[in-house]
Amino acid sequence: MIFALCLLAPAAFAQQAADAVAPEAATGLAPEAPAPVTAQDWMVAAANPLAAEAGARVLREGGSAADAMVAVQAVLGLVEPQSSGLGGGAFLVWYDAATGALTTLDGRETAPMAATPTLFQVDGEPMGFFDAVVGGLSVGTPGTPLLMEEAHRRWGRANWGGLFDEAISLAEDGFAVSPRLATLIADDAERLSSSEATAAYFLPGGTPLAEGATLVNAAYAETLRAFARDGSDAFYSGPVAEGIVATIRGAAQPGVLTLDDLAAYDVVERPAVCAPYRGAEICGMGPPSSGALTVGQILALIEPYDIAALGPDDPQAWRLIGDASRLAFADRGRYMADSDFVPMPRLLDPGYLAERAALLAGDDALPEVTAGTPPWDHAALELADDTSLELPSTSHISIVDSAGNALSMTTTIENGFGSRLLAPGGFLLNNELTDFSFRTHSDGVPIANRVEPGKRPRSSMSPTIVMRDGAPVMVVGSPGGSRIIGYVAKTIVAHLDWGMDVQQAIALPHLVNRFGTYDLEEGTAAAALAEPLAALGYETNIRGLTSGLHAIAIAADGLTGGADPRREGVAIGE
Ligand code: DON
């Protein structure tokens, strides 16, 4: 009924839904959350207090969001080394207050030119996931250093060299190992022992670093000094680059990355991908990330339904979100990959999305979900579904500066501690290439996200800026592998439809459906939805869902920020 009404008047309905936003947050599923951080001029939200403070210092002194990001990333690479750093890649979405323009920078890792489609196969069969992750084979050419430099070149106001002062001091004087880092080191001790240099740093004398231990990283300080002095050339050539290649080539499972791959690396500017939702535009990173397309599809598929009226405690709200997500993930698995290599159909075509949205009109979970048949500009390709896996690490940075610029950046070395290879320059190397499909074909049909030389592996990272009337109203993103998409979509729905402030929206328990099974967040009220969702036909699975959402809402009366209570992040603003 609701759906029919919306098909007739979608614009009017969207307005009605926006008007229906509850002024107070709903109770029930919504947990008690601390008040959000508020500010007037600027704000930074990041995964570690030391990193957020480094960014805050830059913003307080009049630096731009791009300047602050450089300082935050330099510190994160030290204090949260398992998640992101110079040895990884990142996507950045930028709103420019002076021009009103929105753009994205793609600093994703690339496959070395010597990589072949069967990189992760042995005797024609895919390797075990962690057999592929640990060692040199999984390392893609890092993009984060050049992304930092490029963002500063375009939008920086502060002196480049000074942006590393904080990180250099912390690396030289030492910092206290955080509880989360200590736990992750202990949990991963066996894999971290696979490389001598990595073991010496994280497991000195064979013992995992304890919470509160002072950790010094003189090699990282030296790398940062060179980066501060000579820019990214100091990373992509010379001793740092030689150290990276030697580490990859000398690993127990050697990789194929060369000095030429490093020298040839480029950051790519791409148009932001935007999808309309409730009168706003949800804008983010296009291919090689599947983030903005999949978040955009999920929201487009639920837009015809009155999610605001249902509220977060109604299993029907989660049926709509869950099945919209399954449909979007089916398209993601079939069609999304690095579009510089694989033509893609028009996955946000309004007519196509209306057809897919109509599939949600029933009352029960869809018995079966497959990829749809979106329109093509290119001759339609026959593609097989992809089954590649993604597991925990990654970090999200949200920043708004005093000039009104907004930055949303998700940054990663892929798995926790990446390839477990510590380069001589004092940073971990990514395992991003395992975001490719290990298989090239399925039943003779090619898989879009197969490995190819120079290609960027498909990502789920969803750095997002929500725009309304041409101005940013929300900056958000998260780690979490392919669950990132669900975390970000939920936080947007909780804020826009359910009227929660960003801290409540982040804290709202997660219910994430990617491929059919409904993941419900352990230890939260989401578990109470297991029975009603099972009655609608879902298989449910109660488990930890460790997002790391950082969000800033931007309104006429100031900034409101939130950090994910599931990790160690903070929002700081003035
Ligand atoms: O690019 C991606 O989608 C993944 N490599 C991100 C990995 C991740 O978020 C792990 N999270 N906890």
Side-chain angles (χ1 to χ4, degrees):
M1 175 63 194
I2 294 168
F3 183 67
L5 186 146
C6 292
L7 274 184
L8 292 174
F13 183 81
Q15 187 52 50
Q16 196 183 318
D19 292 342
V21 165
E24 298 292 327
T27 51
L29 190 66
E32 287 292 314
V37 175
T38 56
Q40 288 304 315
D41 280 351
W42 53 261
M43 187 169 283
V44 52
N48 180 286
L50 293 168
E53 277 159 21
R57 204 152 296 139
V58 172
L59 293 164
R60 195 174 289 122
E61 287 166 8
S64 72
D67 296 326
M69 174 279 285
V70 173
V72 171
Q73 178 66 79
V75 175
L76 282 179
L78 178 72
V79 301
E80 201 201 26
Q82 73 277 12
S83 292
S84 76
L86 299 181
F91 294 121
L92 184 157
V93 187
W94 176 264
Y95 168 77
D96 197 79
T99 62
L102 197 68
T103 192
T104 74
L105 293 182
D106 167 0
R108 184 70 163 168
E109 298 90 334
T110 53
M113 293 314 285
T116 63
T118 55
L119 188 71
F120 296 122
Q121 293 181 10
V122 175
D123 300 330
E125 282 305 311
M127 297 168 76
F129 183 70
F130 280 105
D131 295 340
V133 166
V134 178
L137 209 56
S138 62
V139 184
T141 312
T144 300
L146 193 59
L147 178 68
M148 292 162 78
E149 184 177 64
E150 184 61 21
H152 178 266
R153 191 185 67 73
R154 290 171 181 240
W155 306 304
R157 286 201 294 264
N159 168 28
W160 165 258
L163 297 173
F164 299 92
D165 289 352
E166 190 96 9
I168 291 171
S169 299
L170 285 166
E172 279 175 345
D173 301 344
F175 67 96
V177 170
S178 76
R180 183 171 163 78
L181 175 55
T183 303
L184 293 175
I185 292 171
D187 290 352
D188 199 55
E190 200 181 319
R191 292 195 184 109
L192 291 171
S193 305
S194 61
S195 145
E196 218 173 287
T198 313
Y201 185 62
F202 291 108
L203 311 159
T207 309
L209 282 166
E211 174 185 338
T214 301
L215 187 55
V216 170
N217 189 339
Y220 186 60
E222 199 181 317
T223 301
L224 291 183
R225 280 191 198 287
F227 193 20
R229 191 182 54 239
D230 301 328
S232 68
D233 284 352
F235 182 90
Y236 290 97
S237 59
V240 174
E242 285 157 17
I244 292 172
V245 171
T247 303
I248 292 169
R249 300 254 159 185
Q253 173 163 259
V256 294
L257 194 137
T258 65
L259 283 171
D260 286 344
D261 290 312
L262 285 162
Y265 185 80
D266 225 346
V267 164
V268 184
E269 179 177 7
R270 301 184 188 275
V273 167
C274 297
Y277 187 64
R278 310 288 186 220
E281 291 280 317
I282 315 301
C283 297
M285 193 70 222
S289 185
S290 62
L293 287 170
T294 314
V295 170
Q297 276 205 353
I298 293 170
L299 296 177
L301 299 192
I302 62 172
E303 183 160 46
Y305 302 93
D306 199 346
I307 295 284
L310 289 171
D313 297 326
D314 192 324
Q316 282 298 331
W318 296 104
R319 176 188 68 78
L320 289 164
I321 295 168
D323 274 357
S325 179
R326 290 169 67 199
L327 289 165
F329 266 84
D331 276 4
R332 173 183 172 277
R334 173 94 38 107
Y335 299 114
M336 297 184 204
D338 182 346
S339 53
D340 289 348
F341 284 73
V342 184
M344 281 179 38
R346 293 202 308 277
L347 290 162
L348 293 178
D349 178 84
Y352 171 64
L353 292 172
E355 260 172 46
R356 296 285 273 178
L359 299 174
L360 303 178
D363 296 318
D364 291 325
L366 293 170
E368 203 188 328
V369 162
T370 56
T373 49
W376 289 82
D377 294 323
H378 183 278
L381 293 182
E382 190 188 359
L383 293 166
D385 297 336
D386 175 17
T387 53
S388 57
L389 262 173
E390 291 150 25
L391 294 170
S393 81
T394 309
S395 208
H396 183 79
I397 306 167
S398 291
I399 307 179
V400 175
D401 67 25
S402 57
N405 300 303
L407 174 149
S408 188
M409 171 165 146
T410 313
T411 172
T412 187
I413 56 169
E414 213 301 291
N415 205 246
F417 304 98
S419 61
R420 276 67 171 182
L421 295 176
L422 187 74
F427 49 86
L428 284 162
L429 297 172
N430 70 82
N431 66 293
E432 218 69 51
L433 301 185
T434 58
D435 275 358
F436 280 119
S437 170
F438 287 18
R439 292 185 190 276
T440 61
H441 293 71
S442 174
D443 295 331
V445 179
I447 293 169
N449 188 35
R450 64 191 175 276
V451 185
E452 295 180 75
K455 188 174 176 181
R456 298 178 182 211
R458 183 190 63 208
S459 173
S460 300
M461 294 195 286
S462 309
T464 302
I465 298 184
V466 179
M467 303 285 291
R468 198 183 282 280
D469 302 326
V473 293
M474 184 184 191
V475 181
V476 61
S478 179
S482 55
R483 291 190 182 85
I484 290 172
I485 289 162
Y487 298 150
V488 169
K490 178 217 79 171
T491 307
I492 293 171
V493 168
H495 186 55
L496 294 191
D497 288 293
W498 297 331
M500 298 185 193
D501 68 46
V502 286
Q503 186 60 62
Q504 289 170 317
I506 287 170
L508 183 72
H510 292 307
L511 294 92
V512 180
N513 199 326
R514 297 167 300 165
F515 312 116
T517 300
Y518 227 130
D519 294 331
L520 310 178
E521 189 175 1
E522 194 172 42
T524 73
L529 283 161
E531 261 182 47
L533 288 172
L536 296 180
Y538 292 103
E539 187 183 326
T540 60
N541 178 25
I542 298 172
R543 50 164 294 153
L545 292 171
T546 317
S547 57
L549 286 149
H550 295 118
I552 302 173
I554 306 161
D557 60 350
L559 306 170
T560 311
D564 203 319
R566 300 164 185 87
R567 299 204 187 195
E568 297 173 331
V570 292
I572 305 174
E574 281 178 11

